Amino acid sequence: MTLPDPPETGPATDPQAALMAEGDRLARHLTQTLEATLPDQPRLTLLGRSLALNLVNAFVPTLEHISRRAGRPLHATLTVDDRARPLLITATPDGESGPALSADDLLRDLLFVRGHLHPVVREHLQGGLRGSEHQATRALVSCLNSRPVLDAMTRAVQTLLAR
């Protein structure tokens, strides 16, 4: 008896699921970057996913608001590219395509400096590995609200508006 072939499935099309996968990739990178042990892995996964979801999902309305205030409104949508990776695409109000930005590039620009975690980001995330869940949540919020992350978000918005 032979089993039927499983149905062919294409790349994932759910942007939020793709963003979770991007968070998992970020968590693997953080595992190599932070002083982490095997028991820290679940917390690193939580931090990676939280960073990806919160930063990218916050970037969309931020870009729309700032571009509207600048007199050059852009509408941003999270979608997936042909490799099932999350991608932010933009369009003008009349439907003309604007610049696109991959989520992994955005996360890199927001969290890293010259290929290394920004020292402030590193300090917050390292603090999030230890202690209670409450301490981890506070460390994550502190990271998201840190000056380097907010400054990098400003630069990313300015770059998209300049294109």
Side-chain angles (χ1 to χ4, degrees), residues 6-163:
E8 285 190 34
T9 58
T13 58
D14 178 17
Q16 292 301 314
L19 205 48
M20 289 286 280
E22 193 62 44
D24 290 342
R25 281 186 284 281
L26 177 59
R28 286 190 295 277
H29 185 74
L30 293 175
T31 299
Q32 299 167 353
T33 305
L34 298 174
E35 297 168 17
T37 62
L38 189 58
D40 295 327
Q41 197 58 46
R43 177 109 11 129
L44 281 166
T45 300
L46 175 69
L47 290 173
R49 288 179 174 182
S50 295
L51 286 168
L53 288 167
N54 284 294
L55 288 171
V56 174
N57 286 328
F59 187 78
V60 170
T62 300
L63 173 64
E64 290 179 347
H65 178 76
I66 292 173
S67 67
R68 194 171 38 254
R69 300 266 307 194
R72 297 178 27 214
L74 288 174
H75 174 69
T77 304
L78 184 63
T79 187
V80 293
D81 65 13
D82 56 349
R83 300 178 302 145
R85 304 283 295 263
L87 179 70
L88 283 168
I89 57 171
T90 62
T92 62
D94 59 358
E96 184 179 324
S97 290
L101 178 64
S102 66
D104 58 334
D105 286 344
L106 177 61
L107 292 170
R108 181 200 63 226
D109 293 347
L110 297 180
L111 300 172
F112 294 84
V113 174
R114 292 182 294 282
H116 300 284
L117 272 177
H118 190 285
V120 172
V121 170
R122 178 193 250 309
E123 180 181 331
H124 288 304
L125 295 179
Q126 192 69 54
L129 289 179
R130 307 292 178 251
S132 69
E133 287 183 27
H134 177 71
Q135 289 168 313
T137 302
R138 289 184 57 152
L140 179 63
V141 170
S142 295
C143 176
L144 294 170
N145 291 324
S146 68
R147 177 58 45 201
V149 171
L150 295 176
D151 288 347
M153 190 172 287
T154 300
R155 286 190 303 275
V157 168
Q158 290 171 342
T159 299
L160 287 175
L161 288 176
R163 291 185 184 173

